[in-house]
Amino acid sequence: MTLLNPQLAAFAAVLGEGSFEGAARRLSVTPSAVSQRIKALEDRLGQVLILRQAPCRATAAGEHLLRSVQQMLLLEAETLQAFAVERAADQAPATLAIAVNADSLATWFLGALATLHERHGLLFDVRVEDQDHSLDLLRDGSVLGAITADAHPVQGCTSRPLGAMRYLPIASPRFVARHFAHGVDAAALGSAPMVVFNRKDALQRRFIRKITRARLAPPTHYLPSSTGFVDAAGLDLGWCMAPESMLRKPLREGTVQAIAPGRWLDVPLYWQHWSVRSATLERLTAALLTAAAKELRQRDGA
């Protein structure tokens, strides 16, 4: 059962699944029916809402509409639950789209989702995005909340501090002996290979500027895996910045070491979400704040 206009439901499904075929499967209709509903909605509003490509993307007008429709879907699920309306056998529970940085996903984030799923049966559509860019997904309506490094709330959203993730610069003992035998300076950092998550990842270069005040261009490996970062460092592939919570065992066992003891980067993280009155959002926010308080550094340094 759904209370949402079929055209709006089709619109949200196409952008959620990335295709008209995927939306048809979700809605249990034909792709032709989905296409007709989207065309009727675009004719009604007088604007193209979806770019027909792989995957389908929203136009600027579509992004504006998507944010409102996603909020409708969230409130609809809560309304049906409040009226004790039983879901159809083929109808999934509410799915919450959230943007999160890879390091949070690999450390403290999943525990909060597991608790919510167990208690309330919620499903999650997790989008991995760098903490410096995750707000783009919140602005365009793709997600209802995002883990971000930006404290300033997006229009129509609320921002809550989570704590800071501390990153340590690490490498294997052999790598340190080979590249940093004479210290961690501009000459060494300019020539030593480094490991970077992807081209949006600026942590390593931020650390270089903090140490040297210089903009260097060292040899770079791109490795989009949080856990793979520590493995790569242990295998002499390069040096990198890794969350301290991932390093307790590798540091203890000596497979990696800090290349600059006493130096680190703290990245403050925030949870930004739509400013709508929603019990589901309140539960999600409370679970994330609780999980982050156990793992991230708080203002008192804990």
Side-chain angles (χ1 to χ4, degrees), residues 50-82:
I50 294 178
L51 298 174
R52 276 72 163 172
Q53 57 186 44
C56 291
R57 291 194 307 109
T59 63
E63 290 177 358
H64 182 73
L65 178 62
L66 179 61
R67 184 164 168 174
S68 296
V69 172
Q70 294 283 31
Q71 293 179 19
M72 292 178 197
L73 288 169
L74 176 62
L75 296 175
E76 176 195 66
E78 294 182 357
T79 299
L80 293 176
Q81 184 179 31

mmCIF file of all heavy atoms in Angstrom, residues 50-82:
data_model
loop_
_atom_site.group_PDB
_atom_site.id
_atom_site.type_symbol
_atom_site.label_atom_id
_atom_site.label_comp_id
_atom_site.label_asym_id
_atom_site.label_seq_id
_atom_site.Cartn_x
_atom_site.Cartn_y
_atom_site.Cartn_z
ATOM 1 N N ILE A 50 14.264 14.121 -15.384
ATOM 2 C CA ILE A 50 15.225 13.025 -15.349
ATOM 3 C C ILE A 50 16.043 13.005 -16.641
ATOM 4 O O ILE A 50 15.473 13.092 -17.742
ATOM 5 C CB ILE A 50 14.506 11.667 -15.166
ATOM 6 C CG1 ILE A 50 13.839 11.602 -13.799
ATOM 7 C CG2 ILE A 50 15.479 10.504 -15.336
ATOM 8 C CD1 ILE A 50 13.055 10.326 -13.546
ATOM 9 N N LEU A 51 17.347 12.901 -16.500
ATOM 10 C CA LEU A 51 18.237 12.723 -17.643
ATOM 11 C C LEU A 51 18.285 11.237 -17.960
ATOM 12 O O LEU A 51 18.724 10.433 -17.141
ATOM 13 C CB LEU A 51 19.633 13.255 -17.318
ATOM 14 C CG LEU A 51 19.718 14.756 -16.992
ATOM 15 C CD1 LEU A 51 21.127 15.124 -16.541
ATOM 16 C CD2 LEU A 51 19.310 15.587 -18.206
ATOM 17 N N ARG A 52 17.835 10.877 -19.166
ATOM 18 C CA ARG A 52 17.780 9.466 -19.562
ATOM 19 C C ARG A 52 19.164 9.010 -19.989
ATOM 20 O O ARG A 52 19.570 9.125 -21.136
ATOM 21 C CB ARG A 52 16.797 9.264 -20.714
ATOM 22 C CG ARG A 52 15.333 9.114 -20.294
ATOM 23 C CD ARG A 52 14.704 10.403 -19.815
ATOM 24 N NE ARG A 52 13.231 10.316 -19.806
ATOM 25 C CZ ARG A 52 12.445 11.234 -19.303
ATOM 26 N NH1 ARG A 52 12.954 12.348 -18.752
ATOM 27 N NH2 ARG A 52 11.138 11.079 -19.321
ATOM 28 N N GLN A 53 19.928 8.525 -19.040
ATOM 29 C CA GLN A 53 21.276 8.032 -19.277
ATOM 30 C C GLN A 53 21.532 6.892 -18.312
ATOM 31 O O GLN A 53 20.640 6.469 -17.601
ATOM 32 C CB GLN A 53 22.296 9.159 -19.079
ATOM 33 C CG GLN A 53 22.234 9.794 -17.693
ATOM 34 C CD GLN A 53 23.134 11.001 -17.561
ATOM 35 O OE1 GLN A 53 23.181 11.852 -18.438
ATOM 36 N NE2 GLN A 53 23.870 11.076 -16.462
ATOM 37 N N ALA A 54 22.735 6.332 -18.341
ATOM 38 C CA ALA A 54 23.060 5.208 -17.452
ATOM 39 C C ALA A 54 24.148 5.635 -16.471
ATOM 40 O O ALA A 54 25.294 5.829 -16.865
ATOM 41 C CB ALA A 54 23.527 4.002 -18.275
ATOM 42 N N PRO A 55 23.818 5.763 -15.162
ATOM 43 C CA PRO A 55 22.466 5.668 -14.597
ATOM 44 C C PRO A 55 21.679 6.950 -14.812
ATOM 45 O O PRO A 55 22.252 7.998 -15.099
ATOM 46 C CB PRO A 55 22.758 5.441 -13.115
ATOM 47 C CG PRO A 55 24.039 6.178 -12.880
ATOM 48 C CD PRO A 55 24.848 5.991 -14.137
ATOM 49 N N CYS A 56 20.360 6.853 -14.666
ATOM 50 C CA CYS A 56 19.511 8.038 -14.782
ATOM 51 C C CYS A 56 19.862 9.026 -13.666
ATOM 52 O O CYS A 56 20.130 8.628 -12.535
ATOM 53 C CB CYS A 56 18.037 7.641 -14.675
ATOM 54 S SG CYS A 56 17.423 6.689 -16.073
ATOM 55 N N ARG A 57 19.846 10.313 -14.018
ATOM 56 C CA ARG A 57 20.134 11.349 -13.027
ATOM 57 C C ARG A 57 19.063 12.421 -13.080
ATOM 58 O O ARG A 57 18.432 12.634 -14.111
ATOM 59 C CB ARG A 57 21.515 11.984 -13.279
ATOM 60 C CG ARG A 57 22.682 11.084 -13.013
ATOM 61 C CD ARG A 57 23.993 11.861 -12.940
ATOM 62 N NE ARG A 57 24.231 12.703 -14.101
ATOM 63 C CZ ARG A 57 24.175 14.021 -14.091
ATOM 64 N NH1 ARG A 57 23.840 14.675 -12.982
ATOM 65 N NH2 ARG A 57 24.417 14.715 -15.194
ATOM 66 N N ALA A 58 18.910 13.120 -11.979
ATOM 67 C CA ALA A 58 17.932 14.204 -11.917
ATOM 68 C C ALA A 58 18.503 15.463 -12.542
ATOM 69 O O ALA A 58 19.702 15.754 -12.439
ATOM 70 C CB ALA A 58 17.546 14.472 -10.469
ATOM 71 N N THR A 59 17.658 16.217 -13.213
ATOM 72 C CA THR A 59 18.017 17.562 -13.640
ATOM 73 C C THR A 59 17.977 18.473 -12.408
ATOM 74 O O THR A 59 17.638 18.035 -11.303
ATOM 75 C CB THR A 59 17.021 18.074 -14.690
ATOM 76 O OG1 THR A 59 15.724 18.165 -14.074
ATOM 77 C CG2 THR A 59 16.946 17.132 -15.893
ATOM 78 N N ALA A 60 18.300 19.737 -12.608
ATOM 79 C CA ALA A 60 18.235 20.680 -11.481
ATOM 80 C C ALA A 60 16.814 20.738 -10.916
ATOM 81 O O ALA A 60 16.604 20.738 -9.697
ATOM 82 C CB ALA A 60 18.693 22.066 -11.933
ATOM 83 N N ALA A 61 15.828 20.753 -11.799
ATOM 84 C CA ALA A 61 14.435 20.755 -11.340
ATOM 85 C C ALA A 61 14.094 19.437 -10.656
ATOM 86 O O ALA A 61 13.379 19.406 -9.644
ATOM 87 C CB ALA A 61 13.496 20.990 -12.528
ATOM 88 N N GLY A 62 14.630 18.345 -11.197
ATOM 89 C CA GLY A 62 14.385 17.032 -10.606
ATOM 90 C C GLY A 62 14.988 16.908 -9.220
ATOM 91 O O GLY A 62 14.395 16.282 -8.327
ATOM 92 N N GLU A 63 16.166 17.494 -9.007
ATOM 93 C CA GLU A 63 16.790 17.457 -7.684
ATOM 94 C C GLU A 63 15.916 18.156 -6.662
ATOM 95 O O GLU A 63 15.760 17.685 -5.523
ATOM 96 C CB GLU A 63 18.170 18.120 -7.742
ATOM 97 C CG GLU A 63 19.206 17.325 -8.508
ATOM 98 C CD GLU A 63 20.536 18.049 -8.602
ATOM 99 O OE1 GLU A 63 20.631 19.192 -8.089
ATOM 100 O OE2 GLU A 63 21.487 17.480 -9.176
ATOM 101 N N HIS A 64 15.354 19.293 -7.060
ATOM 102 C CA HIS A 64 14.487 20.043 -6.145
ATOM 103 C C HIS A 64 13.258 19.209 -5.774
ATOM 104 O O HIS A 64 12.858 19.149 -4.601
ATOM 105 C CB HIS A 64 14.056 21.357 -6.803
ATOM 106 C CG HIS A 64 13.198 22.220 -5.937
ATOM 107 N ND1 HIS A 64 13.685 22.922 -4.855
ATOM 108 C CD2 HIS A 64 11.858 22.475 -5.980
ATOM 109 C CE1 HIS A 64 12.699 23.582 -4.272
ATOM 110 N NE2 HIS A 64 11.579 23.320 -4.935
ATOM 111 N N LEU A 65 12.687 18.535 -6.769
ATOM 112 C CA LEU A 65 11.510 17.708 -6.513
ATOM 113 C C LEU A 65 11.869 16.469 -5.706
ATOM 114 O O LEU A 65 11.117 16.068 -4.809
ATOM 115 C CB LEU A 65 10.866 17.299 -7.839
ATOM 116 C CG LEU A 65 9.646 16.378 -7.740
ATOM 117 C CD1 LEU A 65 8.511 17.069 -6.985
ATOM 118 C CD2 LEU A 65 9.189 15.958 -9.138
ATOM 119 N N LEU A 66 13.015 15.869 -6.002
ATOM 120 C CA LEU A 66 13.392 14.616 -5.342
ATOM 121 C C LEU A 66 13.475 14.786 -3.833
ATOM 122 O O LEU A 66 13.040 13.911 -3.080
ATOM 123 C CB LEU A 66 14.732 14.127 -5.888
ATOM 124 C CG LEU A 66 15.276 12.834 -5.269
ATOM 125 C CD1 LEU A 66 14.319 11.674 -5.509
ATOM 126 C CD2 LEU A 66 16.659 12.512 -5.812
ATOM 127 N N ARG A 67 14.037 15.883 -3.390
ATOM 128 C CA ARG A 67 14.169 16.094 -1.953
ATOM 129 C C ARG A 67 12.801 16.088 -1.274
ATOM 130 O O ARG A 67 12.614 15.462 -0.226
ATOM 131 C CB ARG A 67 14.896 17.408 -1.685
ATOM 132 C CG ARG A 67 15.158 17.662 -0.230
ATOM 133 C CD ARG A 67 16.202 18.736 -0.093
ATOM 134 N NE ARG A 67 16.290 19.214 1.262
ATOM 135 C CZ ARG A 67 17.201 20.070 1.692
ATOM 136 N NH1 ARG A 67 18.101 20.527 0.862
ATOM 137 N NH2 ARG A 67 17.224 20.472 2.941
ATOM 138 N N SER A 68 11.824 16.744 -1.888
ATOM 139 C CA SER A 68 10.479 16.764 -1.315
ATOM 140 C C SER A 68 9.843 15.378 -1.348
ATOM 141 O O SER A 68 9.196 14.956 -0.381
ATOM 142 C CB SER A 68 9.595 17.754 -2.089
ATOM 143 O OG SER A 68 10.085 19.070 -1.955
ATOM 144 N N VAL A 69 10.042 14.662 -2.451
ATOM 145 C CA VAL A 69 9.435 13.337 -2.579
ATOM 146 C C VAL A 69 10.040 12.361 -1.575
ATOM 147 O O VAL A 69 9.326 11.546 -0.972
ATOM 148 C CB VAL A 69 9.589 12.806 -4.021
ATOM 149 C CG1 VAL A 69 9.135 11.358 -4.121
ATOM 150 C CG2 VAL A 69 8.792 13.671 -4.987
ATOM 151 N N GLN A 70 11.350 12.436 -1.363
ATOM 152 C CA GLN A 70 11.984 11.546 -0.392
ATOM 153 C C GLN A 70 11.444 11.794 1.011
ATOM 154 O O GLN A 70 11.256 10.858 1.801
ATOM 155 C CB GLN A 70 13.507 11.748 -0.413
ATOM 156 C CG GLN A 70 14.188 11.329 -1.708
ATOM 157 C CD GLN A 70 14.349 9.831 -1.829
ATOM 158 O OE1 GLN A 70 13.538 9.056 -1.323
ATOM 159 N NE2 GLN A 70 15.395 9.396 -2.502
ATOM 160 N N GLN A 71 11.200 13.044 1.332
ATOM 161 C CA GLN A 71 10.609 13.352 2.640
ATOM 162 C C GLN A 71 9.188 12.797 2.732
ATOM 163 O O GLN A 71 8.774 12.278 3.770
ATOM 164 C CB GLN A 71 10.618 14.863 2.861
ATOM 165 C CG GLN A 71 12.016 15.441 3.007
ATOM 166 C CD GLN A 71 12.013 16.939 3.213
ATOM 167 O OE1 GLN A 71 11.014 17.523 3.589
ATOM 168 N NE2 GLN A 71 13.139 17.580 2.968
ATOM 169 N N MET A 72 8.429 12.893 1.630
ATOM 170 C CA MET A 72 7.078 12.318 1.605
ATOM 171 C C MET A 72 7.121 10.812 1.858
ATOM 172 O O MET A 72 6.299 10.274 2.602
ATOM 173 C CB MET A 72 6.425 12.580 0.240
ATOM 174 C CG MET A 72 6.089 14.013 -0.062
ATOM 175 S SD MET A 72 5.370 14.161 -1.730
ATOM 176 C CE MET A 72 5.544 15.917 -2.018
ATOM 177 N N LEU A 73 8.091 10.125 1.236
ATOM 178 C CA LEU A 73 8.198 8.679 1.401
ATOM 179 C C LEU A 73 8.500 8.310 2.848
ATOM 180 O O LEU A 73 7.953 7.339 3.384
ATOM 181 C CB LEU A 73 9.291 8.129 0.475
ATOM 182 C CG LEU A 73 8.959 8.104 -1.014
ATOM 183 C CD1 LEU A 73 10.208 7.810 -1.832
ATOM 184 C CD2 LEU A 73 7.868 7.084 -1.306
ATOM 185 N N LEU A 74 9.386 9.079 3.475
ATOM 186 C CA LEU A 74 9.716 8.811 4.874
ATOM 187 C C LEU A 74 8.499 9.005 5.769
ATOM 188 O O LEU A 74 8.176 8.152 6.610
ATOM 189 C CB LEU A 74 10.851 9.737 5.316
ATOM 190 C CG LEU A 74 11.262 9.660 6.790
ATOM 191 C CD1 LEU A 74 11.785 8.265 7.130
ATOM 192 C CD2 LEU A 74 12.319 10.711 7.096
ATOM 193 N N LEU A 75 7.790 10.112 5.582
ATOM 194 C CA LEU A 75 6.625 10.391 6.411
ATOM 195 C C LEU A 75 5.479 9.429 6.111
ATOM 196 O O LEU A 75 4.707 9.072 7.001
ATOM 197 C CB LEU A 75 6.175 11.837 6.200
ATOM 198 C CG LEU A 75 7.193 12.902 6.649
ATOM 199 C CD1 LEU A 75 6.706 14.291 6.297
ATOM 200 C CD2 LEU A 75 7.490 12.786 8.129
ATOM 201 N N GLU A 76 5.396 8.985 4.853
ATOM 202 C CA GLU A 76 4.371 8.007 4.499
ATOM 203 C C GLU A 76 4.572 6.706 5.269
ATOM 204 O O GLU A 76 3.630 6.134 5.814
ATOM 205 C CB GLU A 76 4.405 7.720 3.002
ATOM 206 C CG GLU A 76 3.423 6.638 2.573
ATOM 207 C CD GLU A 76 3.728 6.116 1.181
ATOM 208 O OE1 GLU A 76 4.795 5.496 0.984
ATOM 209 O OE2 GLU A 76 2.889 6.318 0.296
ATOM 210 N N ALA A 77 5.824 6.239 5.307
ATOM 211 C CA ALA A 77 6.115 4.995 6.019
ATOM 212 C C ALA A 77 5.747 5.116 7.492
ATOM 213 O O ALA A 77 5.186 4.187 8.092
ATOM 214 C CB ALA A 77 7.591 4.642 5.865
ATOM 215 N N GLU A 78 6.033 6.269 8.102
ATOM 216 C CA GLU A 78 5.691 6.459 9.502
ATOM 217 C C GLU A 78 4.179 6.557 9.702
ATOM 218 O O GLU A 78 3.643 6.049 10.695
ATOM 219 C CB GLU A 78 6.373 7.725 10.028
ATOM 220 C CG GLU A 78 7.891 7.611 10.067
ATOM 221 C CD GLU A 78 8.543 8.853 10.629
ATOM 222 O OE1 GLU A 78 7.825 9.826 10.931
ATOM 223 O OE2 GLU A 78 9.774 8.851 10.777
ATOM 224 N N THR A 79 3.491 7.181 8.747
ATOM 225 C CA THR A 79 2.036 7.307 8.859
ATOM 226 C C THR A 79 1.365 5.941 8.794
ATOM 227 O O THR A 79 0.472 5.626 9.598
ATOM 228 C CB THR A 79 1.497 8.198 7.724
ATOM 229 O OG1 THR A 79 2.088 9.501 7.835
ATOM 230 C CG2 THR A 79 -0.014 8.328 7.808
ATOM 231 N N LEU A 80 1.789 5.119 7.841
ATOM 232 C CA LEU A 80 1.217 3.781 7.718
ATOM 233 C C LEU A 80 1.490 2.956 8.974
ATOM 234 O O LEU A 80 0.637 2.187 9.429
ATOM 235 C CB LEU A 80 1.781 3.080 6.483
ATOM 236 C CG LEU A 80 1.370 3.682 5.129
ATOM 237 C CD1 LEU A 80 2.066 2.950 3.993
ATOM 238 C CD2 LEU A 80 -0.140 3.639 4.947
ATOM 239 N N GLN A 81 2.686 3.137 9.528
ATOM 240 C CA GLN A 81 3.022 2.413 10.756
ATOM 241 C C GLN A 81 2.154 2.892 11.910
ATOM 242 O O GLN A 81 1.664 2.088 12.724
ATOM 243 C CB GLN A 81 4.501 2.601 11.093
ATOM 244 C CG GLN A 81 4.953 1.809 12.304
ATOM 245 C CD GLN A 81 6.441 2.021 12.587
ATOM 246 O OE1 GLN A 81 7.005 3.077 12.318
ATOM 247 N NE2 GLN A 81 7.084 1.010 13.137
ATOM 248 N N ALA A 82 1.917 4.189 11.987
ATOM 249 C CA ALA A 82 1.104 4.748 13.075
ATOM 250 C C ALA A 82 -0.330 4.241 13.014
ATOM 251 O O ALA A 82 -0.982 4.050 14.044
ATOM 252 C CB ALA A 82 1.127 6.268 13.013
#
